[in-house]
């Protein structure tokens, strides 16, 4: 290994050493040196059209592959454009290393051109961040950044590198490993706690597993399955946990919480033991806290001690890597059957299935069901945020982890498409589909250029209700149909009051998504009849290259069941009468 | 309840901002905070006085531990510890009151650090309770200005109730 690298070369060297398969980014003054060293190398670099696209793509890459996603942006506006993506990754515990350029060391603090206090701005939205102050510490910081991003509870790490440091000679070599005295994530569960957990599982009559994104992060699907099968436990997952347990199984309850299935919510409310695994009792999951699983003892297994006892008092905390803890529990657990309980669950599943009323226009739920039919078990679904996201979670059966990528914690519109690009880069041979709303897709539509030029054949399915559907849904239910700025046809001539009906409603809708796709050199298809859905999907999935498929749906379509915010989760609105 | 938490942290720039940011982002109440070098060059010691119910205190401890730059978190409240605060206080003091004030100073072991025809300024070190008592005793003279550090604290080696 050559020892006289510049800082910029050291950064690229670190990427190689860390087996980084792809970098997403955007150039600018403060990273010119890094881009100069990239020139002509074999590092797979993807030039996005916006830094937010780059960070979401790195996120999608990370979620789909389990590897650290990497993005690169210039100082000032380049770095601030990353913030939403960092916060998205932080909330969902996604490992990312973001490298940002910074102004010259001697200019820092002087309001220099394109200077921003990136470490200050990103502190609350990252797991950790660094401002490199000397080229000597660059290698150890880069090594630490990758280690911190992927270990423990994963998360994004920013490394802010001043321009002069990129140019200086770095005498130190890249370390093989790093010890951080102040960072020692607990990975093994305490044997005593594991023993108690096994006893509680043995004693329970009506157990439920509530599995979250931590199961995905630790790669513990097999262990989870073994536990559920051995001890006969139904499994519900959070949005982040979809796919960790095959939803095709009889004991699968699908998602719980605000838009969860009725049977998952009933099961949680009636269970006598709730086993929370890699989940964090988010308010969208628990509804009214003191009514949540109030008949149950709670075991909580999580690698992050701060998640435990944060929202809900638990009876047995087990801190550790979910995979290792479950493996230990599985060693001591005995085969068991909860026949009556499972029977109750199956009855609930039969009596309260997810359902929808087919109307004259295309039902979005039907579209999702057909996507599942035309796709395959390896297909990766990403989503935007809103109704599209919830329908995609509800009406598709996920059977594998890392096949459903969605911004759960932050709920970032504009996430799904660039994340799909990242996922496709990680898995060139898989079908990657972004389920989108017409609002969200416009937040990062510029990445169509990236997809077209790099031959990233992502399929975008826009459920076009011509509105910000989820906002409209809340306004319809809780705000007396006062549709304030949730209509995407709203124009200069609209009256200030609008209840979403009437002949006054403008017909004009922009953009024309089919033409927009074509303008970028992608394919665009449109359908507004139910019988066209499947053929259109087949055509789209068989088209090489990126495709936009637009399905026109009714703006009146809502997501049900729905637990009003702050209500107990078994008090659902099941649908419009 | 009020807890005293001792932290050992990496002596980097930015660590204080991480701690302060944590408290403001999560809405935790911080009563006082003091920072200085510890016995090792690359380690700083912080003493935090915080207030909250058990659940909040537990979260504060865990969240502090989670910060990458925090080496050790010790909530010393339940243990035997010594804590000290330093206060500087300026009170009204015409020449004819000097004797009275000096009497109080003697009782509390306070030292005069500045004097004029109108005022006297003392430094006084003690536990929080003792500093409170000193302040109460000074109050009738008319307090002009106070600067108080908040506690710094250390576990006792000799673990017996005093
Ligand atoms: C960046 C961002 N801004 C605002 C919101 C608030 N929000 C949540 S859902 C939603 C509507 C989304 O509309 P659309 O993408 O058309 O999806 P639909 O609900 O119609 O399926 C909005 C505005 C958000 N989640 N993210």
């Amino acid at each position: 290994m050559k020892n006289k690298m510049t800082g910029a070369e050291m950064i690229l060297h670190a990427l190689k050493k860390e087996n980084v398969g792809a970098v997403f980014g955007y150039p600018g003054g403060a990273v010119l040196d890094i881009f100069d060293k990239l020139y002509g190398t074999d590092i797979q670099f993807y030039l996005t059209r916006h830094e937010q696209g780059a960070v979401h793509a790195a996120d999608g890459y990370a979620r789909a592959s389990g590897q650290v996603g990497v993005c690169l942006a210039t100082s000032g506006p380049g770095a601030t454009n990353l913030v939403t993506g960092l916060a998205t990754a932080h909330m969902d515990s996604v490992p990312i290393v973001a490298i940002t350029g910074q102004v010259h060391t001697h200019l820092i603090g002087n309001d220099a051109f394109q200077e921003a206090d990136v470490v200050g701005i990103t502190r609350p939205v990252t797991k950790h961040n660094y401002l490199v102050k000397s080229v000597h510490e660059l290698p150890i910081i880069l090594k630490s950044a990758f280690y911190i991003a992927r270990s423990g509870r994963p998360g994004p790490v920013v490394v802010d590198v001043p321009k002069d440091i990129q140019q200086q000679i770095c005498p130190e070599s890249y370390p093989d490993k790093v010890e951080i005295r102040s960072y020692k994530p607990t990975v093994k569960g305490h044997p005593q706690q594991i023993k108690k957990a096994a006893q509680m599982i043995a004693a329970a009559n009506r157990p439920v597993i509530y599995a979250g994104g931590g199961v995905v992060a630790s790669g513990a699907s097999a262990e989870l399955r073994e536990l559920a099968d051995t001890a006969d436990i139904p499994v519900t997952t959070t949005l982040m946990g979809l796919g960790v347990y095959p939803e095709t199984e009889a004991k699968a309850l699908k998602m719980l919480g605000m838009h969860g299935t009725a049977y998952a919510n009933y099961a949680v409310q009636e269970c006598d033991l709730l086993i929370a695994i890699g989940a964090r009792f988010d308010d969208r999951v628990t509804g009214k806290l003191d009514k949540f699983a109030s008949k149950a003892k709670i075991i909580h297994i999580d690698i992050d001690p701060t998640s435990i006892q944060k929202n809900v008092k638990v009876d047995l905390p087990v801190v550790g890597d979910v995979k290792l803890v479950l493996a230990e529990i599985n060693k001591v657990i005995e085969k068991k059957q909860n026949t009556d309980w499972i029977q109750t669950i199956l009855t609930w599943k039969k009596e309260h299935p997810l359902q929808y009323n087919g109307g004259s226009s295309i039902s979005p739920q039907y579209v999702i069901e057909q996507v599942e039919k035309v796709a395959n078990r390896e297909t990766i679904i990403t989503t935007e945020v809103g109704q599209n996201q919830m329908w995609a979670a509800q009406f598709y059966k996920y059977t594998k982890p890392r096949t459903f990528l969605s911004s759960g914690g932050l709920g970032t519109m504009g996430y799904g498409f660039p994340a799909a690009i990242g996922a496709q880069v990680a898995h060139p041979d898989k079908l990657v589909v972004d389920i989108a709303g017409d609002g969200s897709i416009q937040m990062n539509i510029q990445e169509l250029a990236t997809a077209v030029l790099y031959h990233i054949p992502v399929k975008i399915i826009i459920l076009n209700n011509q509105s910000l559907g989820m906002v409209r849904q809340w306004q319809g239910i809780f705000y007396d149909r006062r549709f304030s700025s949730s209509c995407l046809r709203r124009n200069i001539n609209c009256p200030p009051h609008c209840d979403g009906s009437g002949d006054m409603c403008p017909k004009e809708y922009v953009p024309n998504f089919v033409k927009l796709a074509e303008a970028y050199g992608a394919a665009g298809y449109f359908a507004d009849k139910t019988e066209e859905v499947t053929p259109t999907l087949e055509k789209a999935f068989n088209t090489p290259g990126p495709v936009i498929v637009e399905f026109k749906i009714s703006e009146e379509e809502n997501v049900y069941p729905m637990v009003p915010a702050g209500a107990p989760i078994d008090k659902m609105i099941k649908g419009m009468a | 309840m009020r807890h005293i938490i001792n932290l050992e942290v990496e002596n980097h720039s930015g660590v204080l901002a991480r701690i302060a940011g944590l408290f403001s982002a999560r809405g935790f109440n911080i009563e006082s905070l003091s920072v200085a070098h510890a016995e090792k060059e690359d380690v700083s010691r912080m003493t935090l006085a915080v207030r909250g119910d058990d659940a909040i205190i537990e979260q504060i401890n865990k969240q502090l531990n989670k910060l990458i730059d925090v080496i050790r978190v010790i909530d010393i409240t339940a243990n035997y510890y010594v804590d000290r605060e330093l206060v500087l206080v300026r009170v009204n003091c015409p020449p004819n009151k000097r004797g009275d004030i000096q009497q109080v100073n003697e009782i509390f072991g306070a030292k005069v650090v500045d004097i004029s025809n109108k005022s006297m300024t003392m430094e006084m070190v003690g536990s929080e309770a003792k500093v409170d008592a000193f302040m109460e005793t000074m109050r009738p003279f008319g307090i002009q200005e106070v600067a108080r550090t908040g506690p710094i604290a250390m576990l006792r080696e000799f673990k017996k109730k005093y």
Side-chain angles (χ1 to χ4, degrees):
Chain A
M1 184 176 57
K2 183 171 76 147
N3 228 352
K4 288 283 177 279
M5 294 185 227
T6 63
E9 284 170 318
M10 177 54 71
I11 290 170
L12 301 189
H13 179 65
L15 299 182
K16 286 230 163 102
K17 285 290 206 181
E18 299 296 335
N19 294 317
V20 173
V23 179
F24 304 88
Y26 210 88
V31 284
L32 276 171
D33 290 275
I34 303 174
F35 277 85
D36 187 59
K37 300 300 178 193
L38 262 173
Y39 191 71
T41 64
D42 54 0
I43 290 181
Q44 272 195 59
F45 182 81
Y46 295 86
L47 175 65
T48 56
R49 290 299 180 271
H50 189 302
E51 288 86 353
Q52 189 185 355
V55 61
H56 288 326
D59 175 312
Y61 180 92
R63 291 193 209 214
S65 67
Q67 307 295 311
V68 178
V70 176
C71 60
L72 174 59
T74 191
S75 67
T80 55
N81 271 348
L82 296 180
V83 170
T84 301
L86 293 168
T88 304
H90 188 48
M91 286 291 261
D92 290 344
S93 309
V94 179
I96 286 180
V97 170
I99 296 164
T100 50
Q102 181 52 279
V103 301
H104 270 261
T105 311
H106 72 270
L107 289 175
I108 290 179
N110 287 339
D111 302 322
F113 177 63
Q114 294 195 324
E115 180 185 0
D117 173 8
V118 170
V119 166
I121 291 169
T122 62
R123 191 179 296 122
V125 295
T126 52
K127 182 169 173 185
H128 198 56
N129 60 18
Y130 294 96
L131 169 61
V132 182
K133 294 220 163 134
S134 131
V135 75
H136 297 284
E137 55 179 38
L138 181 61
I140 188 84
I141 285 179
L142 289 166
K143 185 80 204 173
S144 305
F146 277 94
Y147 170 57
I148 290 170
R150 66 162 76 97
S151 59
R153 177 176 178 177
V157 179
V158 168
V159 183
D160 196 29
V161 192
K163 180 161 174 144
D164 49 328
I165 289 178
Q166 298 168 29
Q167 294 167 340
Q168 287 160 10
I169 296 294
C170 180
E172 282 75 16
S173 48
Y174 193 69
D176 288 329
K177 57 175 194 288
V178 62
E179 267 281 307
I180 305 174
R181 64 175 165 186
S182 53
Y183 175 68
K184 302 257 185 292
T186 311
V187 289
K188 285 188 109 167
H190 195 284
Q192 205 56 39
Q193 301 297 88
I194 286 170
K195 204 170 129 200
K196 278 191 207 152
Q199 286 164 355
M200 286 167 77
I201 292 168
N205 295 316
R206 302 188 312 276
V208 168
I209 289 173
Y210 146 48
V215 180
V216 180
S218 97
S221 295
E223 290 77 5
L224 178 87
R225 175 112 201 228
E226 186 181 337
L227 174 63
D229 288 351
T230 313
D232 204 19
I233 312 175
V235 181
T236 178
T237 71
T238 66
L239 188 73
M240 302 309 300
L242 290 179
V244 297
Y245 182 81
E247 297 194 317
T248 42
E249 292 292 312
K251 284 199 293 271
L253 299 171
K254 295 187 65 83
M255 187 169 73
L256 81 166
M258 180 175 279
H259 291 299
T261 60
Y263 44 90
N265 288 345
Y266 291 150
V268 168
Q269 296 303 66
E270 289 304 317
C271 70
D272 66 353
L273 178 68
L274 186 70
I275 310 163
I277 310 177
R280 60 186 176 85
F281 296 88
D282 180 78
D283 52 279
R284 284 287 185 270
V285 161
T286 62
K288 191 175 167 59
L289 258 186
D290 53 2
K291 290 277 161 58
F292 180 74
S294 53
K295 299 176 185 165
K297 289 215 169 347
I298 300 178
I299 300 175
H300 190 178
I301 308 169
D302 204 292
I303 197 159
D304 180 2
T306 66
S307 287
I308 292 174
Q309 316 281 25
K310 184 173 67 182
N311 299 338
V312 166
K313 194 106 197 85
V314 307
D315 299 279
L316 183 76
V318 188
V319 177
D321 185 320
V322 162
K323 187 181 177 79
L324 301 180
V325 171
L326 290 183
E328 290 301 315
I329 292 178
N330 286 338
K331 274 188 205 157
V332 290
I333 204 93
E334 277 175 19
K335 184 101 192 139
K336 161 174 187 228
Q337 262 167 1
N338 302 309
T339 315
D340 291 352
W341 176 231
I342 298 298
Q343 202 46 56
T344 312
I345 300 267
L346 293 180
T347 311
W348 279 331
K349 282 183 81 165
K350 207 150 151 205
E351 285 173 1
H352 309 279
L354 286 168
Q355 53 192 350
Y356 58 94
N357 305 324
S360 54
S361 44
I362 295 176
S363 301
Q365 302 91 337
Y366 174 77
V367 172
I368 305 294
E369 288 174 344
Q370 295 313 301
V371 169
E372 182 181 357
K373 284 227 175 84
V374 182
N376 58 69
R377 287 287 159 229
E378 298 297 321
T379 298
I380 296 173
I381 303 290
T382 73
T383 77
E384 302 297 336
V385 168
Q387 296 179 318
N388 60 85
Q389 179 185 34
M390 292 299 118
W391 288 320
Q394 291 177 331
F395 287 90
Y396 189 107
K397 290 191 195 69
Y398 298 92
T399 54
K400 295 187 169 177
R402 304 192 184 281
T403 57
F404 176 83
L405 317 182
S406 189
S407 168
L410 200 67
T412 308
M413 292 171 66
Y415 168 81
F417 176 37
I421 290 177
Q424 185 81 80
V425 167
H427 296 288
D429 299 327
K430 292 189 180 176
L431 172 64
V432 181
V433 179
D434 174 33
I435 305 288
D438 55 314
S440 299
I441 195 60
Q442 295 186 63
M443 286 211 174
N444 275 314
I445 191 68
Q446 77 285 347
E447 298 309 329
L448 214 40
T450 315
V452 167
L453 294 176
Y454 287 95
H455 293 194
I456 301 169
V458 167
K459 315 300 176 208
I460 301 170
I461 296 176
I462 301 175
L463 302 172
N464 191 350
N465 51 13
Q466 310 200 343
S467 60
L468 302 172
M470 189 55 95
V471 172
R472 191 181 193 281
Q473 173 166 348
W474 282 59
Q475 289 170 337
I477 298 174
F478 304 115
Y479 291 85
D480 201 20
R481 291 180 72 86
R482 290 155 61 90
F483 295 123
S484 182
S485 293
S486 57
C487 176
L488 292 177
R489 288 193 315 270
R490 183 168 181 79
N491 69 25
I492 187 87
N493 298 318
C494 287
H497 304 286
C498 162
D499 67 357
S501 52
D503 310 330
M504 295 278 298
C505 269
K507 296 280 169 288
E508 187 194 22
Y509 178 88
V510 294
N512 178 323
F513 285 111
V514 170
K515 280 195 188 156
L516 184 66
E518 287 164 357
Y520 275 105
Y525 305 131
F526 173 86
D528 58 0
K529 295 189 190 61
T530 303
E531 63 274 16
E532 295 168 350
V533 170
T534 313
T536 308
L537 287 172
E538 280 166 348
K539 186 168 66 169
F541 292 178
N542 286 319
T543 303
V547 181
I548 285 185
V549 185
E550 178 186 3
F551 291 118
K552 185 156 190 253
I553 64 169
S554 160
E555 62 193 5
E556 290 290 332
E557 201 62 66
N558 281 345
V559 179
Y560 296 114
M562 178 184 194
V563 179
I569 59 169
D570 50 349
K571 299 281 175 284
M572 288 157 279
I573 308 173
K574 291 235 179 76
M576 284 298 177
Chain B
M1 178 181 154
R2 181 165 171 277
H3 280 237
I4 295 190
I5 298 173
N6 267 358
L7 296 183
E8 283 173 22
V9 302
E10 295 289 351
N11 184 15
H12 298 156
S13 63
V15 178
L16 185 57
R18 285 186 207 282
I19 310 255
L22 170 68
F23 275 78
S24 69
R26 299 205 176 258
F28 297 145
N29 280 321
I30 190 161
E31 271 187 6
S32 76
L33 177 149
S34 78
V35 201
H37 287 272
E39 54 286 355
K40 282 176 250 154
E41 251 307 298
D42 53 352
V43 175
S44 296
R45 176 160 291 118
M46 296 193 185
T47 306
L48 306 176
V50 298
R51 211 170 264 287
D53 61 23
D54 290 353
I56 288 174
I57 298 290
E58 182 180 335
Q59 264 300 310
I60 291 176
N61 277 291
K62 286 175 173 178
Q63 293 286 354
L64 286 167
N65 247 315
K66 188 169 161 180
L67 292 177
I68 307 278
D69 283 334
V70 171
I71 304 167
R72 227 147 71 98
V73 182
I74 318 157
D75 187 336
I76 65 174
T77 317
N79 293 294
Y80 302 123
Y81 62 89
V82 274
D83 63 314
R84 290 293 179 269
E85 274 185 53
L86 168 65
V87 65
L88 293 173
V89 55
R90 173 172 295 134
V91 297
N92 293 335
C93 181
N96 64 353
K97 290 279 186 208
R98 284 177 187 159
D100 294 355
I101 291 179
Q102 269 299 22
Q103 239 178 359
V104 179
N105 286 348
E106 251 167 56
I107 294 167
F108 284 94
K111 253 170 63 186
V112 178
V113 290
D114 189 29
I115 190 161
S116 76
N117 283 339
K118 290 183 219 145
S119 74
M120 198 184 301
T121 306
M122 275 69 67
E123 70 167 48
M124 188 269 184
V125 173
S127 65
E128 186 191 24
K130 195 166 163 188
V131 173
D132 284 346
F134 177 64
M135 296 298 294
E136 275 314 303
T137 320
M138 282 297 165
R139 196 170 306 282
F141 298 106
I143 294 174
Q144 291 181 3
E145 200 179 334
V146 182
R148 213 172 149 165
T149 60
I152 55 171
M154 225 181 245
L155 284 174
R156 286 184 191 277
E157 190 133 74
F158 190 57
K159 298 201 160 84
K160 216 170 170 190
K161 199 81 185 162
Y162 287 84

